[in-house]
Amino acid sequence: MKTRVLVADDHDLVREGICKLLELYDNIEIVGEAGDGIETVNKVRELSPDLVLLDLNMPRMDGITTIGRIKEIAPDVKILVLTIHDGEEYVYEVAKAGAEGYVQKDIKPEELKEAIERVVKGEKVFPSFVEEEFCKECCEENNGNQFEELSAREREVLELLAKGMSNRSIAETLYISDKTVKNHVSNILKKLAVDDRTQAVIVSLKRGLVKLS
């Protein structure tokens, strides 16, 4: 039986290339294409694919939101994210949103085919660090090793850190001094038990403290 795939990517040339590639495999059938997040959700309703091959950078509705909407209306539909992004924060956000897999666009054709087959079989296809870090976090929570609570202001600063803003930009946005921002960042790192800003964002994404816009 063929796997019915919906390909969602906002770039026509890329989307067409992916479709032509997957059509070469006897066990895959392309049932539709979509160029933005809203169209993707509508096509899922209309076509009931087995799997959605989804780009993260989608107009009208971003990839993360699209994943959530698909899971609301069709929880059995598998979602494999195919993206240019390699940052850990994106991987964790995709995993938390409910997708079954995450691969990059520089993947080889046979590896993409294998990823699709694994996801359809019920496997999770993510970089190894995702499973390792999630397991580690679960063990820490079960042992009662909870992170210290962040203040309301620290959460505001953390949200802006996740957007990639500098200390000066955060200070201007919140109408506070650079020194105050530095103090908040220092407290955030300490409370989240991490060494730098990037790790703070990754941990906060895993815990659901912030979301990528």
Side-chain angles (χ1 to χ4, degrees), residues 52-99:
V52 178
L53 193 60
L54 178 70
D55 185 23
L56 278 185
N57 295 334
M58 299 286 280
R60 295 213 293 167
M61 183 189 295
D62 64 87
I64 299 299
T65 303
T66 301
I67 294 170
R69 294 287 178 84
I70 292 172
K71 288 302 181 179
E72 287 176 3
I73 65 172
D76 293 334
V77 173
K78 307 296 185 183
I79 301 175
L80 177 62
V81 167
L82 180 64
T83 179
I84 61 172
H85 296 295
D86 61 356
E88 292 184 17
E89 63 272 21
Y90 290 100
V91 182
Y92 284 119
E93 191 77 347
V94 165
K96 288 177 69 66

Side-chain angles (χ1 to χ4, degrees), residues 87-112:
E88 292 184 17
E89 63 272 21
Y90 290 100
V91 182
Y92 284 119
E93 191 77 347
V94 165
K96 288 177 69 66
E100 282 76 20
Y102 186 107
V103 293
Q104 291 180 254
K105 286 185 175 178
D106 60 359
I107 192 172
K108 295 179 180 178
E110 283 297 324
E111 292 174 335
L112 177 57

Side-chain angles (χ1 to χ4, degrees), residues 88-89 92 137 147 150 154-155 157-163 184-212:
E88 292 184 17
E89 63 272 21
Y92 284 119
E137 183 177 335
F147 291 119
L150 296 177
E154 288 165 352
R155 285 174 178 267
V157 172
L158 188 55
E159 288 278 357
L160 299 178
L161 284 177
K163 294 180 180 180
H184 284 314
V185 172
S186 178
N187 288 336
I188 289 170
L189 299 184
K190 181 179 179 181
K191 289 182 178 182
L192 296 182
V194 296
D195 297 323
D196 56 46
R197 297 157 64 105
T198 300
Q199 291 179 14
V201 172
I202 292 171
V203 169
S204 63
L205 286 168
K206 289 163 57 181
R207 296 183 61 209
L209 296 177
V210 298
K211 291 184 177 181
L212 293 175

Side-chain angles (χ1 to χ4, degrees), residues 152-174:
R153 177 62 88 182
E154 288 165 352
R155 285 174 178 267
E156 287 181 314
V157 172
L158 188 55
E159 288 278 357
L160 299 178
L161 284 177
K163 294 180 180 180
M165 295 178 66
S166 66
N167 284 2
R168 174 164 294 184
S169 296
I170 293 173
E172 293 174 351
T173 300
L174 298 179

Side-chain angles (χ1 to χ4, degrees), residues 11-23 33:
H11 291 95
D12 293 343
L13 188 61
V14 173
R15 190 174 66 249
E16 291 174 7
I18 293 171
C19 289
K20 289 184 180 298
L21 169 65
L22 295 180
E23 285 171 349
E33 302 177 31

